[in-house]
Amino acid sequence: MSASKCSRLSGALIEQLLDSVDSVLFDCDGVIWRGDQAIPGAAQVINRLKEKGKRVFFVTNNSSKTRRMYAEKMSGMGFNVSEEEVFGTAYCSAVYLKTVCHVEGKVYLIGSDAMRQELEAMGIPHTGVGADHIVGRQADWANVPLDPEVKAVVVGFDEHFSYMKMNRAFQYLSQRDCLFVGTNRDTKLPLEGGKAVPGTGCLLQAVETAAQRRAQTVGKPHRFMFDCVASKFGVERGRCLMVGDRLDTDILLGSNCGLKTLLTLTGVSSVADAEAHQRSGCPERQGMVPDYYVDSIADLLPALQG
């Protein structure tokens, strides 16, 4: 494996990397916390980076919380963080609808209450949150009442996802001028103890299969999530570091946006995974090879305490 990629970050190399960046983007779950527990040393790393004048942002594909909810969670773990520094897909999807799609009308939302709140904060009307129970027969389902003001279907994580919700989205998307947006394509949500549950990508693929249409997704690894940060805070690509635990989302986002990349081994992906991508010879998989890796972001702490 080339020494220029996927090098262990340690010693003087840490200081060199940190000196070369002004901004650092952190994924959340698996990087700064696992479940409801902070990664040991993570809060100290974040807080020391800020004390040294670095701008720190948090980018997560999880759409189950608002920016404020994430900031409150992190503050409770000892992180020095403000709501404006958090960029989740609930918020970014609302920004995308408002600034890129210029949606006029309502959104049919397959998603969480947090997504509802972020849409409302952007002044975007919506329908669909909560359970949608099966009633009648198949002929009734095909003629389910639709809101004529709906101009977009948005799919995020929804614990109430059902056949009827998929059907209703399908009926809206049968109208070719109806926009179709997904928060992310993560197929599973890793949990503590090696467990996992199906992720938003499973729900999105179900709707895409039914509608025979492909959604535009806003979460990692797509550039829009970085664009949200960069446009608001003037982040310079060449002096920005992306830190994450997943090669196919975090590291690929960094590669797609021309950022420096750092893999931490406290979450999903391993060095062996990165090496397999490097050996593959596939250009797309090459984008999932990080510049550096550490066992934990706590490995940065000695260089920050000097």
Side-chain angles (χ1 to χ4, degrees):
M1 192 173 206
S2 170
S4 64
K5 295 288 283 185
C6 207
S7 302
R8 177 179 283 277
L9 190 64
S10 61
L13 192 57
I14 298 177
E15 294 185 25
Q16 292 173 22
L17 175 62
L18 294 179
D19 286 344
S20 73
V21 300
D22 302 315
S23 304
V24 186
L25 274 58
F26 286 94
D27 176 48
C28 295
D29 198 5
V31 176
I32 62 172
W33 70 62
R34 282 186 299 231
D36 293 321
Q37 299 295 320
I39 298 290
Q44 293 95 312
V45 168
I46 300 300
N47 297 345
R48 285 295 291 162
L49 282 169
K50 288 190 168 188
E51 289 169 10
K52 287 185 170 292
K54 306 297 183 184
R55 294 187 297 178
V56 176
F57 305 99
F58 304 91
V59 289
T60 173
N61 275 358
N62 193 320
S63 63
S64 66
K65 290 182 173 64
T66 64
R67 290 179 298 162
R68 176 173 298 179
M69 293 163 68
Y70 275 118
E72 290 174 350
K73 174 175 180 172
M74 284 186 269
S75 295
M77 292 178 172
F79 293 91
N80 174 16
V81 60
S82 68
E83 179 180 338
E84 290 72 25
E85 294 166 332
V86 181
F87 291 80
T89 50
Y91 169 72
C92 291
S93 294
V95 173
Y96 183 80
L97 288 164
K98 190 78 169 182
T99 64
V100 177
C101 298
H102 303 290
V103 65
E104 296 181 0
K106 290 183 181 178
V107 165
Y108 176 64
L109 177 61
I110 296 177
S112 64
D113 189 65
M115 294 185 69
R116 174 191 65 79
Q117 293 180 53
E118 296 289 17
L119 287 176
E120 290 177 356
M122 285 285 175
I124 300 174
H126 57 84
T127 183
V129 174
D132 191 354
H133 300 293
I134 290 284
V135 293
R137 301 180 178 181
Q138 290 181 349
D140 301 311
W141 307 342
N143 294 285
V144 67
L146 301 178
D147 187 331
E149 296 182 20
V150 167
K151 302 300 179 184
V153 169
V154 178
V155 179
F157 184 77
D158 189 343
E159 63 187 29
H160 298 291
F161 186 77
S162 64
Y163 179 86
M164 186 53 73
K165 284 199 165 191
M166 180 173 61
N167 171 65
R168 204 177 294 272
F170 165 76
Q171 302 300 337
Y172 281 121
L173 291 169
S174 295
Q175 305 166 28
R176 302 312 298 178
D177 60 345
C178 184
L179 300 169
F180 189 14
V181 175
T183 58
N184 66 91
R185 297 187 180 276
D186 297 20
T187 55
K188 65 179 180 179
L189 298 175
L191 304 175
E192 288 294 287
K195 299 287 187 178
V197 294
T200 300
C202 300
L203 314 186
L204 182 57
Q205 287 180 42
V207 176
E208 287 180 326
T209 300
Q212 289 295 286
R213 291 179 58 179
R214 186 170 176 83
Q216 174 61 53
T217 48
V218 302
K220 300 172 290 185
H222 298 281
R223 296 169 56 103
F224 184 75
M225 183 161 271
F226 173 76
D227 291 342
C228 276
V229 182
S231 63
K232 189 171 183 178
F233 291 96
V235 174
E236 183 181 342
R237 299 174 189 276
R239 294 191 59 83
C240 182
L241 172 67
M242 176 69 220
V243 184
D245 71 307
R246 291 185 64 142
L247 300 174
D248 61 340
T249 55
D250 305 321
I251 303 306
L252 187 54
L253 170 71
S255 297
N256 287 342
C257 297
L259 317 180
K260 298 173 177 66
T261 55
L262 173 62
L263 173 70
T264 176
L265 304 179
T266 49
V268 173
S269 298
S270 67
V271 174
D273 295 330
E275 291 173 340
H277 289 312
Q278 179 80 334
R279 291 193 301 267
S280 72
C282 171
E284 182 177 355
R285 292 181 65 182
Q286 298 296 314
M288 301 184 206
V289 181
D291 295 316
Y292 308 98
Y293 72 89
V294 288
D295 292 324
S296 163
I297 65 166
D299 293 356
L300 306 181
L301 200 51
L304 291 168
Q305 291 175 327

